[in-house]
Structure formats: C-alpha cells, structure tokens
Amino acid sequence: MSEPTTLPHAEEAEIEDIGSNPDPARPIGAIIAARYGRRAMLGAAAAAAAALVPDGPAPAQPQAPPPAHSSGNTPNGGPSTLAFPELRHQLAQGDAVAEGYEIQLLIRWGDPILADAPEFDVARQTAEAQARQFGYNCDYLDFFPLPRGSRSADHGLLWVNHEYTNTNLMFPGLGAGRAARARTNAEQVAVEIAAHGASVVEVRREADGRWRVVRDSRFNRRITGATPMRLSGPAAGHPRLRTHADPSGTRVLGTLNNCAGGRTPWGTVLTAEENFNFYFGGEAAESGPQRAHYRRYGIVREAVYGWGRFVDRFSLDKEPNEPNRFGWIVEVDPYDPESVPVKRTALGRFKHECCTMALCPDGRVAFYSGDDERFEYIYKFVTARPWNPDDRAANRDLLDEGTLYVGRFDDDGKVTWLPLVHGEGPLTAENGFHSQADVVIEARRAADLLGATPMDRPEDVEANPVTGRVYAMLTNNARRTAQQARGANPRANNIHGHVLEIIPPMAQGRPDHAATEMRWGLFLVAGAPGFDAGARYHRATSPNGWLSCPDNCTFDSKGRIWIATDGAPETSGVADGLYAADTTGHGRALTRLFYQAPTGAEVCGPCFTPDERTLFLAIQHPGEDPGSTFERPSTRWPDFREGVPPRPSVIAIVKKDGGVIGS
Ligand code: FEO
Ligand code: CA
Ligand code: CA
Ligand code: CA
C-alpha cells in the first residue's frame, strides 16, 4: 500500500519461547527403541523414509538460491488451480497483494468501536478509551453472518483476537524491544491490559464495494484483560484456581494472549490463550510450592510484562494461583454482547494456539489444538455427546464433557491419540494427579507421562473441509538436534518449519475425527527449495512461492490451503505473507505467494466470507523489527503519517472484478 522500501528484517524474538519440556531429547524413536529394541526402530525409520504419504510432494529439484525479481508479479507456472499471478518476494514498509486484487483497510488499533468511544489520539491514551476502541495485535478472525443462521456474505460480525502489545511502539520514550515493558507506568499498563482480549465489530460491504465497520452497532464489543468471565469444566472451583479475589475458583478477570482460535458448529467462538506465562512473575516462581509446575509452563521470576508492579493479581507472591486461571480455551457468543465468556477447562491448559472443529460421523465434535512452544504437543478434544443442530441452547455446556487426547506420531506414519483421563495409565495420585482437575491444569506434564511426541512448535491445526485431512503448521524449532530429527519432525535446526498432514480413517463414509488411530505424512517442508536442506514442495514451486514459518491456515471450498506465515528469518530476504496451494491433484503442495506483509508484521487469521469473494486478514505487529521505536519505527503502516506509529489492523482483500478469491 506504500512505496516499497527495502529494510533489514529480523525476528526480534518478542514471542520467544525457550521451551520447557524437560525431555525434548526423547523423540518417539527413543521410545520405540526402549520398548522394541534398536532393530525395530531402524526398521521403522527406514519404512518412514521410504513411504510417507502416498501422494506426498515430490522432492524439489536442486537449483540456485532464489534470484531477485524486478517485476511485481511473476507469471503463472505449474499445474496449480490457483489463478492469481504470483507476487514476488520482497521486504517493504508497505504491503502488497497479487495483481487483480484490492486491499481495503478495515479497522486499526485505536479506532473507536463503541458508541461512547473517543477518536484515537496516540498522545492521550487512557485505559477507558482503549476499552472502547479496537485493541492491539489482531490475530484470529472469524466472520459470523447477520442475521444469525443466514449465509450473508456482505454483512456480519467480525470476531478479532488481540494477542499482545508492542509496548515500545505504543508509547513514546520507552526505547526499543521488550525492555520497554519494564519502563511503563501504571496508566500505560492499564492501557495495555485494555488493549488485550478481543473485539466484536459489525461489518458491512456497502454499495460502493467497500467494507466498513458499523460504528456504534449494538453488537460491537470489547473484551479485555479485565472482562469478568466464568470458569467451567473439571478444574472450575478447584482449590488450585482459587484466589483472594475469587475464593470460589470460578470467576476470573480477563483473557490474555489470545492467539488463534476456532468456532463451534453452534455459532460460538473459541479464543485460545497462548503465552499466558508472560504476564506473571515473582519470587515464588523459583521458591514457592508450585515452582516445578511454573517451570513446566515457562513462568519465571521476571515476567515479560511487568504488570505485577501495579496490579496484584499478576504477582505470584500475592496471588500464586492466578496463572492457573489462564492458558485455557474461552468460549464466547459473538451474537450476544452481554454474554459472559466461559473458560472451558476440559480442553486442557497449555499454550493454546488454536481450537478448530471437525465433525465426527456420529455427531460428536472434535477440536484440534497446538501447544505453541518448542518440543510441545498436538492435542484434540472430543465431546462426550453429539451436538444438537436444532437447539442452540442445548449445546451450551457441550464443551464441559469429553475426552482430551495428545498425539503420538510414530516414525512409521502412525498417529495414536492418547487419552488424558485421570486414573488411566500414569495419570494417578501416585504421580500427583488426584483428579481430572489436576490432569487438565497440568496437561503438559500429563502428556509427558503418556509419551506424546515433542513437535516443532505446533501452531494452527485445522481440518480440510473437503478431504477431512488435518494440517498442522509446525512453525520452526532451531533447537532440534540431529539426534532428535526424525519422523514427523524430520529436520535438525528447523528454522523454516513444516506442514504435517494427518489422515483420519473413514467411518460411515466420512472422516472419523473421533478415531484414536490415524496416519501422518509431510505436506511440505518449508524454506527455499534447493537451497535450504530438506525443503520439500511440489517440484514446480517458483522462487517466489516458497515460504518460511507457517502459522495460521484456512481452506477454501475447493479444499485449497491458505497458509499465513510468521517469522521468516532475516537472512531469507522474505517477508511474512499469505500463500495458497492445492492439497490434492497435480498442483498439490505448489505454494504461491498471494499477499506480502509490511516489515515486522506477521499475517494472521485468514478468513473467507461464505461466498469467498472477500478474504479478511489480521496484520499483526507491523514494525516489530530490531531497534524499532515509537519515535523511529521501521514502518508507519498503515497510516504513514509522521508522529503516528504503526497500527496493527484488519484488512479486507477483494477481487477487483468482484469474483471469487483465487478463482
Ligand atoms: Fe501467537 Fe503461536 O502464535
Ligand atoms: Ca500464531
Ligand atoms: Ca485457521
Ligand atoms: Ca507464530
């Protein structure tokens, strides 16, 4: 949207997770070896190498490092069904979309959404104003048609997560990077808490073809880091969830670090609390009775955000149980602005990236979720009962009963979903699990004991609605060693990540997401083909079509995958963006670059309207580059006005001829 300017680009490690799995060195191969002997393990590895998925991508042909291109678009090439002319890779202060498409700026951080909200004034930020304005760092998006139950594609409610805050880019005088967070005052912290959470905004495509927010809509809502919510499920009311402010253990203020999410078939949204550990700190992290548990969840003495200086509940020394009330999946009804959000503890507590649904043949509902940290796991939850399509209210507490599973990915291509059920296997009082509440609160430790497979940072995990195959974005893991590189995480020093494909068996002619055994294969291994070791795509993937660090994904009605990226290494010369590929047929795994983000930004929340003529994208943390400050940001996208810092925003992409995206 602006004149492109080449900039140095690097991941500032704002959301850097060092990993807290105590046994990441135990890939599944070690377990096979321990159980069946080394000969069996070698046999399994050889079998996996020989046959991944039957129609897996062909290895890319060796070629020179990707050349620079001088034109904005490259011609179509290869057998992809995606008709857009591919963008070129570049780093720029502005964003870009494939020729024939238009970027519409929909809403920015600070834009007023409630009736009594003031206009955005970066020099006069208050918590009261921020709680009525659009929040920071937009992530998961979902479109809920209006009226409810319709297939309206030009009028609806947009759900938007606000994951975290770039303190250094919000306020003047704080310097660069995460160190700025130690320099905030009480009012700035209050603004940051109000900038977290989520927004619901009514949106409409008007006669001129442009999308606009309906300001003052009765549906518009801000959910913040202080909004009252309820806890339900097996951990609700447990002593480990009780605090001075809430002796019942069932009421909590706010939701934090809402990354990706999902929706239910009954039209509620599921927002995922990811890096909740960043907000809590204190001496008790290292000396208190919960220190082992804190360590497993990355809660340390010095919190990334220093909110405990001003707000007691973020200090472990004052409220040692408060972190146990975060790290959950939160269900919200976007159609009812008065509804109380509910943290559904049955789905487990970890750094939830997402929570995406897949219907089982018998009417039960499965939800897939990644735990986004190095060497953490992939989970799924299956409801105990079928959902009721005829009675929305009957589904109100469906997520409180069901089975949480964690994935074990054997080298021979088998997936086993291991149940996290109190009393089964090692999940007993002997190991500190006295009830299902203990199991869900310490889901990571329970999964360790079950022998789950440590993965390369699982982000979005989502089922293809056409084929039923499930795709897991494994964003990267530079700490995987050569000894740990095997099977479903095949590459050491995996700086570019990969996409795993999980294939459920069929039951009654439909994919059975309730099954406890599935198969896995590699859909693609990211990085530049022929340049980065192990990169694997369709052989016709162009020098602009390769990607790095897959994060969120969605599918169109043709079953094609749209992959958003986050964190391409600075040495790659590639901005984060949105890529699309066929998942079946001759164009399988032939990724093509559709949208390129401004410098420092990742692309989140890809979301189509029901007619697929609009694609909403959340552009998160523009300007999050090393050395970037409020005064001298690396970009001022999208306003490009002196004195105004970059503003995380939601954009709508439409085809100029009004057609279907990607057609
Ligand atoms: Fe918030 Fe895993 O990205
Ligand atoms: Ca993410
Ligand atoms: Ca998704
Ligand atoms: Ca990410």
Side-chain angles (χ1 to χ4, degrees):
M1 295 173 76
S2 71
E3 188 178 335
T5 306
T6 302
L7 283 171
H9 177 88
E11 179 71 357
E12 197 184 359
E14 282 288 332
I15 297 293
E16 186 74 3
D17 297 309
I18 56 169
S20 55
N21 189 330
D23 198 7
R26 189 182 60 158
I28 194 61
I31 298 167
I32 296 173
R35 286 187 186 157
Y36 307 112
R38 181 164 169 77
R39 186 181 297 271
M41 182 182 77
L42 292 173
L52 290 170
V53 175
D55 55 350
Q61 299 303 306
Q63 59 189 52
H69 289 271
S70 56
S71 65
N73 290 287
T74 60
N76 287 329
S80 172
T81 68
L82 288 145
F84 61 84
E86 185 170 63
L87 275 181
R88 66 180 167 118
H89 277 152
Q90 65 170 357
L91 300 171
Q93 292 189 10
D95 58 353
V97 70
E99 197 174 294
Y101 291 83
E102 173 192 337
I103 298 170
Q104 299 179 2
L105 183 63
L106 181 67
I107 187 165
R108 304 160 294 186
W109 165 52
D111 281 342
I113 60 173
L114 300 191
D116 57 353
E119 292 296 330
F120 179 64
D121 183 345
V122 76
R124 285 184 199 77
Q125 298 181 61
T126 66
E128 291 68 29
Q130 178 62 84
R132 291 161 176 75
Q133 298 165 332
F134 195 65
Y136 205 83
N137 272 346
C138 34
D139 200 301
Y140 181 70
L141 304 176
D142 212 339
F143 181 82
F144 293 88
L146 283 173
R148 185 162 66 79
S150 74
R151 295 272 302 164
S152 173
D154 55 13
H155 185 205
L157 301 176
L158 196 65
W159 172 278
V160 187
N161 278 2
H162 299 298
E163 185 182 13
Y164 70 103
T165 44
N166 288 92
T167 314
N168 58 314
L169 301 177
M170 291 174 74
F171 307 107
L174 298 180
R178 59 195 277 175
R181 295 188 179 123
R183 304 186 189 112
T184 45
N185 59 37
E187 180 62 25
Q188 289 167 332
V189 165
V191 170
E192 289 193 279
I193 293 171
H196 278 66
S199 294
V200 180
V201 287
E202 184 177 342
V203 293
R204 188 190 288 276
R205 193 172 191 187
E206 297 181 342
D208 62 0
R210 289 198 67 84
W211 282 93
R212 291 189 180 86
V213 169
V214 181
R215 192 169 159 180
D216 309 345
S217 160
R218 69 181 179 88
F219 291 108
N220 288 0
R221 180 177 193 184
R222 273 307 318 282
I223 290 167
T224 75
T227 299
M229 19 197 101
R230 192 162 68 78
L231 288 147
S232 74
H238 190 275
R240 297 173 78 177
L241 269 64
R242 295 177 193 162
T243 64
H244 292 98
D246 172 34
S248 76
T250 61
R251 302 270 159 190
V252 56
L253 292 182
T255 182
L256 293 172
N257 217 271
N258 302 74
C259 192
R263 65 191 298 160
T264 64
W266 51 95
T268 57
V269 73
L270 301 172
T271 176
E273 297 185 321
E274 194 192 30
N275 295 300
F276 65 93
N277 58 316
F278 287 1
Y279 303 91
F280 303 96
E283 292 297 321
E286 288 166 25
S287 57
Q290 298 193 70
R291 60 186 180 280
H293 159 217
Y294 288 149
R295 190 177 312 123
R296 187 68 186 85
Y297 280 87
I299 297 166
V300 295
R301 185 191 311 215
E302 295 289 333
V304 169
Y305 289 86
W307 293 357
R309 290 174 291 145
F310 306 111
V311 186
D312 284 356
R313 66 192 175 102
F314 297 109
S315 165
L316 297 175
D317 303 324
K318 293 170 180 157
E319 282 290 8
N321 283 339
E322 190 72 6
N324 297 340
R325 294 139 67 81
F326 292 83
W328 304 106
I329 292 296
V330 190
E331 184 177 14
V332 190
D333 183 352
Y335 289 103
D336 179 2
E338 303 300 321
S339 62
V340 176
V342 186
K343 299 196 178 189
R344 301 288 183 187
T345 67
L347 283 77
R349 175 170 167 269
F350 45 91
K351 294 188 179 184
H352 283 278
E353 168 73 21
C354 66
C355 192
T356 61
M357 70 159 169
L359 295 179
C360 306
D362 62 4
R364 288 181 294 161
V365 191
F367 294 91
Y368 291 93
S369 196
D371 183 354
D372 181 7
E373 194 170 302
R374 296 183 182 99
F375 302 110
E376 291 301 338
Y377 308 126
I378 294 176
Y379 297 79
K380 76 166 179 177
F381 176 82
V382 182
T383 58
R385 290 180 290 117
W387 78 287
N388 186 336
D390 303 318
D391 181 0
R392 191 170 188 245
N395 304 307
R396 197 179 55 193
D397 293 321
L398 203 65
L399 295 178
D400 286 342
E401 283 178 56
T403 305
L404 179 65
Y405 299 87
V406 67
R408 191 186 77 200
F409 298 81
D410 292 347
D411 285 3
D412 64 358
K414 181 179 172 186
V415 184
T416 306
W417 293 102
L418 308 159
L420 281 77
V421 175
H422 176 251
E424 289 189 14
L427 307 184
T428 59
E430 215 173 30
N431 287 315
F433 296 102
H434 298 278
S435 66
Q436 186 64 17
D438 286 330
V439 172
V440 294
I441 292 168
E442 293 190 69
R444 281 184 168 184
R445 192 167 68 85
D448 296 342
L449 292 175
L450 291 172
T453 303
M455 310 297 286
D456 286 349
R457 289 190 57 198
E459 300 251 27
D460 219 350
V461 184
E462 190 152 335
N464 184 327
V466 175
T467 66
R469 292 183 173 194
V470 179
Y471 293 78
M473 308 300 114
L474 297 162
T475 200
N476 59 50
N477 184 353
R479 297 187 191 198
R480 185 171 291 276
T481 65
Q483 290 72 34
Q484 296 164 341
R486 58 184 308 121
N489 299 281
R491 185 162 57 178
N493 186 29
N494 185 15
I495 59 172
H496 294 295
H498 57 287
V499 177
L500 199 68
E501 186 176 51
I502 301 168
I503 308 164
M506 302 296 278
Q508 301 164 41
R510 293 159 60 189
D512 184 8
H513 293 281
T516 54
E517 290 190 3
M518 299 183 182
R519 304 289 300 169
W520 67 262
L522 296 172
F523 179 66
L524 64 82
V525 181
F531 185 67
D532 290 302
R536 187 180 165 99
Y537 301 79
H538 190 289
R539 61 168 58 85
T541 300
S542 87
N544 290 301
W546 65 271
L547 58 90
S548 178
C549 302
D551 189 326
N552 291 154
C553 72
T554 194
F555 298 88
D556 62 28
S557 58
K558 294 187 175 72
R560 301 179 297 197
I561 192 168
W562 295 72
I563 301 173
T565 69
D566 170 24
E570 63 178 307
T571 50
S572 68
V574 172
D576 283 316
L578 184 75
Y579 299 78
D582 294 315
T583 58
T584 56
H586 296 300
R588 175 178 153 87
L590 202 176
T591 47
R592 301 175 57 77
L593 176 57
F594 179 72
Y595 171 83
Q596 162 253 310
T599 184
E602 69 166 290
V603 180
C604 299
C607 171
F608 289 104
T609 49
D611 63 0
E612 295 177 11
R613 291 171 197 274
T614 300
L615 173 66
F616 295 108
L617 296 180
I619 308 306
Q620 186 182 119
H621 57 73
E624 188 186 276
D625 287 293
S628 196
T629 62
F630 180 94
E631 291 79 12
R632 298 194 62 188
S634 58
T635 178
R636 294 188 187 276
W637 185 91
D639 295 348
F640 292 104
R641 269 201 299 135
E642 199 57 35
V644 179
R647 298 168 75 181
S649 302
V650 174
I651 60 173
I653 293 177
V654 297
K655 206 170 178 191
K656 287 177 180 167
D657 67 6
V660 171
I661 307 274
S663 63

